Amino acid sequence: MPEIQAEHPSEIQAFWRWYLATVRQGMGGPDHAAGRAFIPLSAVQDYLGASQRVEGLLAALCAKHVDAQYVREHYLRTLAILILIRQGPMINHFVRYSSLTDKRLPFRTRPEDFPHSADPEFFDKFHVQQWQFCVTDLEYKMDLHLHQEEILPIIEKKEIGRGGNATVFKIVVASEYNKLVPHRLKTPERPRHLRDTFVLKTYRGPDAKEQHQAEHDAFINLRYNGKPSPFIIAYYGSFVDDNTYNIILEFADRGNLDEFMSAMPPPTTEENMIELWDRLSKITHGLAVIHGTPDALLGWHQDIKPTNILVMSGSGTSDYDVYFKLADLSLCHFTEDKETDLDARGTRAYGAPETTRFYKGMEPFPVQVGQSVDVWSVGCVLSEAAVWSRFGWSRLREYRRQRQEEIKQRLNREGENWFHDEYKVLETVHDIHDNIAWKPRPVDQVIVNSLKIVRDTMLLSQNQRTASARHVYTQLSRVIDTTRSTFMDSRITYPPKDIETEDVSDSGERPMTPPSVPPGYTSKSSKPSRPHANPGIRTSLVSPLASLNTTRSNIPNLSNHIPSRRHHTQATNRNYRDQLADASFGPFQFDLDSLQNLPDPPSPASSYQSSDVNIENRFPLNANAAYRESGQPSSRRFRNTVDPVSMTRSRSNRDVLTHSHHHRNRSTRGSFNGPLAILQGLEAPMPTPSPPSSHNGTILSPRVDIRSSTESQAQQQQEPPPQLLLSDALLWKERKKKGHNAPLHGRENLASLNVRDHVGGS
């Protein structure tokens, strides 16, 4: 490590201060287990690339005649090495030879053009210091033989497990040298803070080379659509160093499945439970990739167990947003055309009955096994996952203990927690599955459905276990998708109805038809209206003034209860927002996507006490107000067409028109499209009612009985003529004086005006 000395020029002292502040610790030496200092190339370029910094250093080294720009382009690392070994003036010699440029580094042997110095150890010092500026990049699918001098950009290394001849480390790679994950293999669910974190698996011992080569070949052979399977732990490269054999793998930050279940309580919501089982079932997809296809290599995993299923965090915030991946392919073996292969003697607890040697004398004998042994192992893992999902970690530990006791009682074997008794599934396994399926909670439905697949296709005897991993994956996916669909349908809820109803079907009252107002009709009335009832429904009405003054914030937001899809639903013109799910009204359709923009509901007319007010307002109605149910077109057609205003007609032909203010410029389907009058405390005689509108709007009239055209005409003939307004009479009189023979609306009442002194007849 350089020491800053006061007699050195200020430029040299500044360089050493920068070095001490920038140096990082990598891995090197024997087995690359010791710390080695290194300087990232980008840091050298940033520091020495600054304006006039190289010029100052060259001046301090008595090399002013050397072109500073040429040094920046070809000799930055060389200049830094020479300063560290206190041979800075030698830069005058290096710049003369292209064989000594930075791109030639590192020098493993002394180059022919390397300069001689009074220091006999000049090259040895240069050779040692050069490695910290020549760090090895870690690249995808690397397969290197490294020397002790080489430095790996591993800035953190921590042991996280041991097994057999392998030791597993968690490592962090310097971002600048991390080229292990190509862009096409990056997954969006991987957390950003783990992009430079990996696993280093190191093999030592007499069988280290064979085990390393077997796992390396297994990863190389596994491809899904030309890429590594997303449900098998990813392989990024390997290197050999002295007597160790190393593989760089994907890091799983949540440990293995066994650690995950011991640390986490089971999910309590259906959404989390379904998502968890959906992702857990994907390990069968990874197994199907290992098993291959008849036209490719056929593989066996033979070591599937909870500790070999790794758990990775997703990009979400939920503790159950995780992904599961198969790991530890050291026992994988492949064949080209054989459906059976020699047993690799993997897991015992989760192994199939045909892989178990029940007598010690049978251990040396080879056994041929099919790929279904892996299907059995996955079934055992899912069985334990189901117990944890339903009862928690303590019950899972008891489940394992109960299997050991049954095997001890039936086979007199100590310490074994198999799932079988040489031939068939243990009674303990059947009992726990039945216990899960007995009176399941709604959150347990996906567990029960998945256990049916485990029982019917996976945990079977060797002759009955014929389903492939691909078939099991398809079945589990279908079952989970069906469970999810059922759960999503159950979440479709509607707001409760707040209207109190009373059956008055036997009241004998005549059904009322909502009236329509002809264009241009105006009226004046001072008599209060009489309330009427609709046959079969009597609604508890509220004050119209209270309805008109109700703020929009009090109206329930239906978007939180109704999914974004179209449904057939009905409503009345009274409190229609609270009756969207009621099927007792007419066959109208709502576009529920536009429920946020509904206009305020009209106030019921029958509960209003009117006063004497003159009204001269025109109500343009829907021009195509047709009988949708009967198919009879409307007998009236109007010039202006907007949505109808629902009104309730009284028996005295005096109805009250009330509705709340509506915002202008509404474009949502089913809302009013023009300015409408706000009639508060008004009363007017109504003409003959018209049939309900067929407009697909949001303000709807109750379903009514349609009368025949004969009855409608007879009723119109019996109706008294509309009253003659004073303003119309005065206007007609002025026009008549000017010679215009204009008809007078309601001239039947003209005689009543002749007796008044301020209106002359004629």
PDB file of all heavy atoms in Angstrom, residues 2 27 42-43 50 57 93 179 196 204 221 251 270 273 294 326 346 382 421 432 456 513 536 637 641 762:
ATOM      1  N   PRO A   2       0.695   2.171  -0.917  1.00  0.00           N
ATOM      2  CA  PRO A   2       1.574   3.341  -0.995  1.00  0.00           C
ATOM      3  C   PRO A   2       1.406   4.231   0.227  1.00  0.00           C
ATOM      4  O   PRO A   2       0.353   4.292   0.838  1.00  0.00           O
ATOM      5  CB  PRO A   2       1.095   4.045  -2.273  1.00  0.00           C
ATOM      6  CG  PRO A   2      -0.329   3.634  -2.411  1.00  0.00           C
ATOM      7  CD  PRO A   2      -0.394   2.232  -1.911  1.00  0.00           C
ATOM      8  N   MET A  27     -11.718 -10.847  -4.782  1.00  0.00           N
ATOM      9  CA  MET A  27     -11.293 -12.165  -4.332  1.00  0.00           C
ATOM     10  C   MET A  27     -10.170 -12.660  -5.235  1.00  0.00           C
ATOM     11  O   MET A  27     -10.225 -12.547  -6.463  1.00  0.00           O
ATOM     12  CB  MET A  27     -12.454 -13.157  -4.370  1.00  0.00           C
ATOM     13  CG  MET A  27     -13.691 -12.708  -3.595  1.00  0.00           C
ATOM     14  SD  MET A  27     -13.371 -12.316  -1.859  1.00  0.00           S
ATOM     15  CE  MET A  27     -12.820 -13.906  -1.254  1.00  0.00           C
ATOM     16  N   SER A  42     -13.343   2.179 -14.640  1.00  0.00           N
ATOM     17  CA  SER A  42     -14.086   3.428 -14.793  1.00  0.00           C
ATOM     18  C   SER A  42     -13.575   4.504 -13.845  1.00  0.00           C
ATOM     19  O   SER A  42     -13.553   5.696 -14.181  1.00  0.00           O
ATOM     20  CB  SER A  42     -15.576   3.185 -14.557  1.00  0.00           C
ATOM     21  OG  SER A  42     -15.806   2.700 -13.242  1.00  0.00           O
ATOM     22  N   ALA A  43     -13.135   4.095 -12.656  1.00  0.00           N
ATOM     23  CA  ALA A  43     -12.604   5.070 -11.700  1.00  0.00           C
ATOM     24  C   ALA A  43     -11.290   5.654 -12.202  1.00  0.00           C
ATOM     25  O   ALA A  43     -11.032   6.856 -12.040  1.00  0.00           O
ATOM     26  CB  ALA A  43     -12.409   4.411 -10.338  1.00  0.00           C
ATOM     27  N   ALA A  50      -9.712  13.687 -16.202  1.00  0.00           N
ATOM     28  CA  ALA A  50     -10.072  15.064 -15.894  1.00  0.00           C
ATOM     29  C   ALA A  50      -9.092  16.028 -16.549  1.00  0.00           C
ATOM     30  O   ALA A  50      -7.927  15.701 -16.833  1.00  0.00           O
ATOM     31  CB  ALA A  50     -10.095  15.269 -14.380  1.00  0.00           C
ATOM     32  N   LEU A  57       0.595  15.408 -13.700  1.00  0.00           N
ATOM     33  CA  LEU A  57       1.376  14.246 -13.291  1.00  0.00           C
ATOM     34  C   LEU A  57       2.631  14.094 -14.146  1.00  0.00           C
ATOM     35  O   LEU A  57       3.716  13.773 -13.627  1.00  0.00           O
ATOM     36  CB  LEU A  57       0.515  12.985 -13.376  1.00  0.00           C
ATOM     37  CG  LEU A  57      -0.589  12.844 -12.317  1.00  0.00           C
ATOM     38  CD1 LEU A  57      -1.479  11.656 -12.632  1.00  0.00           C
ATOM     39  CD2 LEU A  57       0.014  12.688 -10.918  1.00  0.00           C
ATOM     40  N   HIS A  93       9.648   5.704 -21.457  1.00  0.00           N
ATOM     41  CA  HIS A  93      10.024   4.520 -22.232  1.00  0.00           C
ATOM     42  C   HIS A  93       8.784   3.771 -22.744  1.00  0.00           C
ATOM     43  O   HIS A  93       8.768   3.310 -23.896  1.00  0.00           O
ATOM     44  CB  HIS A  93      10.881   3.587 -21.364  1.00  0.00           C
ATOM     45  CG  HIS A  93      11.286   2.331 -22.064  1.00  0.00           C
ATOM     46  ND1 HIS A  93      12.409   2.254 -22.889  1.00  0.00           N
ATOM     47  CD2 HIS A  93      10.732   1.085 -22.080  1.00  0.00           C
ATOM     48  CE1 HIS A  93      12.515   1.036 -23.374  1.00  0.00           C
ATOM     49  NE2 HIS A  93      11.511   0.297 -22.881  1.00  0.00           N
ATOM     50  N   LYS A 179     -21.506  -9.077 -16.071  1.00  0.00           N
ATOM     51  CA  LYS A 179     -22.070  -9.346 -17.388  1.00  0.00           C
ATOM     52  C   LYS A 179     -22.651 -10.757 -17.441  1.00  0.00           C
ATOM     53  O   LYS A 179     -22.720 -11.383 -18.497  1.00  0.00           O
ATOM     54  CB  LYS A 179     -21.001  -9.171 -18.461  1.00  0.00           C
ATOM     55  CG  LYS A 179     -20.402  -7.770 -18.488  1.00  0.00           C
ATOM     56  CD  LYS A 179     -19.306  -7.622 -19.539  1.00  0.00           C
ATOM     57  CE  LYS A 179     -18.709  -6.220 -19.507  1.00  0.00           C
ATOM     58  NZ  LYS A 179     -17.596  -6.068 -20.482  1.00  0.00           N
ATOM     59  N   ASP A 196     -27.091  -7.732  -8.728  1.00  0.00           N
ATOM     60  CA  ASP A 196     -25.668  -8.100  -8.695  1.00  0.00           C
ATOM     61  C   ASP A 196     -25.382  -9.189  -7.668  1.00  0.00           C
ATOM     62  O   ASP A 196     -24.213  -9.443  -7.343  1.00  0.00           O
ATOM     63  CB  ASP A 196     -24.817  -6.864  -8.375  1.00  0.00           C
ATOM     64  CG  ASP A 196     -24.935  -5.788  -9.439  1.00  0.00           C
ATOM     65  OD1 ASP A 196     -25.007  -6.140 -10.627  1.00  0.00           O
ATOM     66  OD2 ASP A 196     -24.968  -4.588  -9.087  1.00  0.00           O
ATOM     67  N   ARG A 204     -15.379 -29.386  -3.716  1.00  0.00           N
ATOM     68  CA  ARG A 204     -14.048 -29.823  -3.296  1.00  0.00           C
ATOM     69  C   ARG A 204     -14.093 -31.317  -3.030  1.00  0.00           C
ATOM     70  O   ARG A 204     -15.142 -31.871  -2.741  1.00  0.00           O
ATOM     71  CB  ARG A 204     -13.592 -29.096  -2.031  1.00  0.00           C
ATOM     72  CG  ARG A 204     -13.310 -27.614  -2.203  1.00  0.00           C
ATOM     73  CD  ARG A 204     -12.785 -27.015  -0.891  1.00  0.00           C
ATOM     74  NE  ARG A 204     -12.413 -25.625  -1.026  1.00  0.00           N
ATOM     75  CZ  ARG A 204     -13.245 -24.601  -0.878  1.00  0.00           C
ATOM     76  NH1 ARG A 204     -14.514 -24.849  -0.581  1.00  0.00           N
ATOM     77  NH2 ARG A 204     -12.824 -23.365  -1.016  1.00  0.00           N
ATOM     78  N   ASN A 221     -27.774 -28.429 -20.999  1.00  0.00           N
ATOM     79  CA  ASN A 221     -28.741 -29.196 -21.793  1.00  0.00           C
ATOM     80  C   ASN A 221     -30.171 -28.706 -21.633  1.00  0.00           C
ATOM     81  O   ASN A 221     -31.029 -29.031 -22.466  1.00  0.00           O
ATOM     82  CB  ASN A 221     -28.684 -30.679 -21.389  1.00  0.00           C
ATOM     83  CG  ASN A 221     -27.383 -31.336 -21.815  1.00  0.00           C
ATOM     84  OD1 ASN A 221     -26.789 -30.955 -22.823  1.00  0.00           O
ATOM     85  ND2 ASN A 221     -26.933 -32.321 -21.045  1.00  0.00           N
ATOM     86  N   PHE A 251     -29.437 -16.288  -7.433  1.00  0.00           N
ATOM     87  CA  PHE A 251     -29.602 -16.194  -5.982  1.00  0.00           C
ATOM     88  C   PHE A 251     -31.078 -16.125  -5.622  1.00  0.00           C
ATOM     89  O   PHE A 251     -31.838 -15.351  -6.207  1.00  0.00           O
ATOM     90  CB  PHE A 251     -28.878 -14.961  -5.439  1.00  0.00           C
ATOM     91  CG  PHE A 251     -29.136 -14.707  -3.981  1.00  0.00           C
ATOM     92  CD1 PHE A 251     -28.642 -15.567  -3.004  1.00  0.00           C
ATOM     93  CD2 PHE A 251     -29.878 -13.604  -3.569  1.00  0.00           C
ATOM     94  CE1 PHE A 251     -28.880 -15.336  -1.662  1.00  0.00           C
ATOM     95  CE2 PHE A 251     -30.118 -13.364  -2.226  1.00  0.00           C
ATOM     96  CZ  PHE A 251     -29.616 -14.245  -1.271  1.00  0.00           C
ATOM     97  N   GLU A 270     -57.931 -15.654   0.165  1.00  0.00           N
ATOM     98  CA  GLU A 270     -58.035 -16.516  -1.003  1.00  0.00           C
ATOM     99  C   GLU A 270     -57.121 -16.054  -2.117  1.00  0.00           C
ATOM    100  O   GLU A 270     -56.534 -16.878  -2.833  1.00  0.00           O
ATOM    101  CB  GLU A 270     -59.488 -16.549  -1.485  1.00  0.00           C
ATOM    102  CG  GLU A 270     -60.446 -17.210  -0.507  1.00  0.00           C
ATOM    103  CD  GLU A 270     -61.877 -17.194  -1.011  1.00  0.00           C
ATOM    104  OE1 GLU A 270     -62.177 -17.897  -1.990  1.00  0.00           O
ATOM    105  OE2 GLU A 270     -62.683 -16.441  -0.433  1.00  0.00           O
ATOM    106  N   MET A 273     -53.574 -17.150  -1.325  1.00  0.00           N
ATOM    107  CA  MET A 273     -53.448 -18.602  -1.351  1.00  0.00           C
ATOM    108  C   MET A 273     -53.453 -19.127  -2.786  1.00  0.00           C
ATOM    109  O   MET A 273     -52.633 -19.992  -3.148  1.00  0.00           O
ATOM    110  CB  MET A 273     -54.592 -19.232  -0.557  1.00  0.00           C
ATOM    111  CG  MET A 273     -54.479 -20.748  -0.424  1.00  0.00           C
ATOM    112  SD  MET A 273     -53.127 -21.267   0.652  1.00  0.00           S
ATOM    113  CE  MET A 273     -53.858 -20.976   2.265  1.00  0.00           C
ATOM    114  N   PRO A 294     -39.450 -36.738 -26.456  1.00  0.00           N
ATOM    115  CA  PRO A 294     -38.858 -37.908 -27.128  1.00  0.00           C
ATOM    116  C   PRO A 294     -37.831 -37.552 -28.196  1.00  0.00           C
ATOM    117  O   PRO A 294     -36.938 -38.361 -28.483  1.00  0.00           O
ATOM    118  CB  PRO A 294     -40.080 -38.602 -27.742  1.00  0.00           C
ATOM    119  CG  PRO A 294     -41.218 -38.193 -26.875  1.00  0.00           C
ATOM    120  CD  PRO A 294     -40.921 -36.798 -26.444  1.00  0.00           C
ATOM    121  N   LEU A 326     -36.765 -24.985  -9.196  1.00  0.00           N
ATOM    122  CA  LEU A 326     -36.014 -26.203  -8.911  1.00  0.00           C
ATOM    123  C   LEU A 326     -34.521 -25.899  -8.908  1.00  0.00           C
ATOM    124  O   LEU A 326     -34.032 -25.107  -9.717  1.00  0.00           O
ATOM    125  CB  LEU A 326     -36.317 -27.271  -9.960  1.00  0.00           C
ATOM    126  CG  LEU A 326     -37.674 -27.965  -9.872  1.00  0.00           C
ATOM    127  CD1 LEU A 326     -37.856 -28.913 -11.054  1.00  0.00           C
ATOM    128  CD2 LEU A 326     -37.800 -28.737  -8.562  1.00  0.00           C
ATOM    129  N   GLY A 346     -30.942 -40.471  -5.078  1.00  0.00           N
ATOM    130  CA  GLY A 346     -31.116 -39.130  -4.533  1.00  0.00           C
ATOM    131  C   GLY A 346     -31.848 -39.149  -3.214  1.00  0.00           C
ATOM    132  O   GLY A 346     -31.541 -39.949  -2.323  1.00  0.00           O
ATOM    133  N   LEU A 382     -45.793 -31.343  -2.566  1.00  0.00           N
ATOM    134  CA  LEU A 382     -47.094 -30.671  -2.550  1.00  0.00           C
ATOM    135  C   LEU A 382     -47.946 -31.129  -1.371  1.00  0.00           C
ATOM    136  O   LEU A 382     -48.745 -30.352  -0.832  1.00  0.00           O
ATOM    137  CB  LEU A 382     -47.825 -30.932  -3.867  1.00  0.00           C
ATOM    138  CG  LEU A 382     -47.180 -30.348  -5.131  1.00  0.00           C
ATOM    139  CD1 LEU A 382     -48.025 -30.665  -6.358  1.00  0.00           C
ATOM    140  CD2 LEU A 382     -46.992 -28.840  -4.994  1.00  0.00           C
ATOM    141  N   ASP A 421     -44.917 -47.435   2.334  1.00  0.00           N
ATOM    142  CA  ASP A 421     -44.488 -48.590   3.121  1.00  0.00           C
ATOM    143  C   ASP A 421     -44.001 -49.700   2.202  1.00  0.00           C
ATOM    144  O   ASP A 421     -44.424 -50.847   2.302  1.00  0.00           O
ATOM    145  CB  ASP A 421     -45.638 -49.101   4.000  1.00  0.00           C
ATOM    146  CG  ASP A 421     -46.823 -49.556   3.158  1.00  0.00           C
ATOM    147  OD1 ASP A 421     -46.778 -49.344   1.916  1.00  0.00           O
ATOM    148  OD2 ASP A 421     -47.781 -50.110   3.712  1.00  0.00           O
ATOM    149  N   ILE A 432     -54.247 -37.252   6.672  1.00  0.00           N
ATOM    150  CA  ILE A 432     -54.056 -35.802   6.676  1.00  0.00           C
ATOM    151  C   ILE A 432     -54.712 -35.165   5.459  1.00  0.00           C
ATOM    152  O   ILE A 432     -55.248 -34.047   5.529  1.00  0.00           O
ATOM    153  CB  ILE A 432     -52.549 -35.447   6.751  1.00  0.00           C
ATOM    154  CG1 ILE A 432     -52.371 -33.980   7.137  1.00  0.00           C
ATOM    155  CG2 ILE A 432     -51.851 -35.735   5.436  1.00  0.00           C
ATOM    156  CD1 ILE A 432     -52.787 -33.655   8.530  1.00  0.00           C
ATOM    157  N   ASP A 456     -54.680 -38.561  -7.195  1.00  0.00           N
ATOM    158  CA  ASP A 456     -55.134 -39.367  -8.327  1.00  0.00           C
ATOM    159  C   ASP A 456     -54.056 -39.621  -9.372  1.00  0.00           C
ATOM    160  O   ASP A 456     -54.184 -40.576 -10.153  1.00  0.00           O
ATOM    161  CB  ASP A 456     -56.322 -38.674  -9.011  1.00  0.00           C
ATOM    162  CG  ASP A 456     -57.527 -38.552  -8.093  1.00  0.00           C
ATOM    163  OD1 ASP A 456     -57.589 -39.307  -7.106  1.00  0.00           O
ATOM    164  OD2 ASP A 456     -58.390 -37.688  -8.355  1.00  0.00           O
ATOM    165  N   THR A 513     -99.242   5.189 -15.818  1.00  0.00           N
ATOM    166  CA  THR A 513     -98.266   5.252 -16.896  1.00  0.00           C
ATOM    167  C   THR A 513     -97.554   6.595 -16.834  1.00  0.00           C
ATOM    168  O   THR A 513     -98.193   7.630 -16.773  1.00  0.00           O
ATOM    169  CB  THR A 513     -98.945   5.102 -18.266  1.00  0.00           C
ATOM    170  OG1 THR A 513     -99.650   3.876 -18.276  1.00  0.00           O
ATOM    171  CG2 THR A 513     -97.919   5.131 -19.380  1.00  0.00           C
ATOM    172  N   GLY A 536     -98.402  -3.574  -6.850  1.00  0.00           N
ATOM    173  CA  GLY A 536     -97.377  -4.537  -6.473  1.00  0.00           C
ATOM    174  C   GLY A 536     -96.224  -3.933  -5.715  1.00  0.00           C
ATOM    175  O   GLY A 536     -95.539  -4.620  -4.988  1.00  0.00           O
ATOM    176  N   ARG A 637     -93.969  11.984 -32.803  1.00  0.00           N
ATOM    177  CA  ARG A 637     -92.570  12.230 -33.105  1.00  0.00           C
ATOM    178  C   ARG A 637     -92.304  13.698 -32.870  1.00  0.00           C
ATOM    179  O   ARG A 637     -93.037  14.551 -33.318  1.00  0.00           O
ATOM    180  CB  ARG A 637     -92.216  11.849 -34.550  1.00  0.00           C
ATOM    181  CG  ARG A 637     -92.345  10.350 -34.801  1.00  0.00           C
ATOM    182  CD  ARG A 637     -91.761   9.971 -36.148  1.00  0.00           C
ATOM    183  NE  ARG A 637     -91.851   8.542 -36.352  1.00  0.00           N
ATOM    184  CZ  ARG A 637     -90.917   7.687 -35.962  1.00  0.00           C
ATOM    185  NH1 ARG A 637     -89.844   8.142 -35.353  1.00  0.00           N
ATOM    186  NH2 ARG A 637     -91.049   6.415 -36.182  1.00  0.00           N
ATOM    187  N   THR A 641     -84.875  15.824 -29.565  1.00  0.00           N
ATOM    188  CA  THR A 641     -84.765  14.470 -29.016  1.00  0.00           C
ATOM    189  C   THR A 641     -83.665  14.443 -27.971  1.00  0.00           C
ATOM    190  O   THR A 641     -82.499  14.595 -28.266  1.00  0.00           O
ATOM    191  CB  THR A 641     -84.425  13.452 -30.125  1.00  0.00           C
ATOM    192  OG1 THR A 641     -83.200  13.853 -30.716  1.00  0.00           O
ATOM    193  CG2 THR A 641     -85.511  13.399 -31.151  1.00  0.00           C
ATOM    194  N   SER A 762    -113.125  38.853 -29.740  1.00  0.00           N
ATOM    195  CA  SER A 762    -113.380  39.009 -31.160  1.00  0.00           C
ATOM    196  C   SER A 762    -112.879  37.765 -31.822  1.00  0.00           C
ATOM    197  O   SER A 762    -111.732  37.501 -31.910  1.00  0.00           O
ATOM    198  CB  SER A 762    -112.708  40.212 -31.793  1.00  0.00           C
ATOM    199  OG  SER A 762    -111.338  40.075 -31.816  1.00  0.00           O
TER     200      SER A 762
END
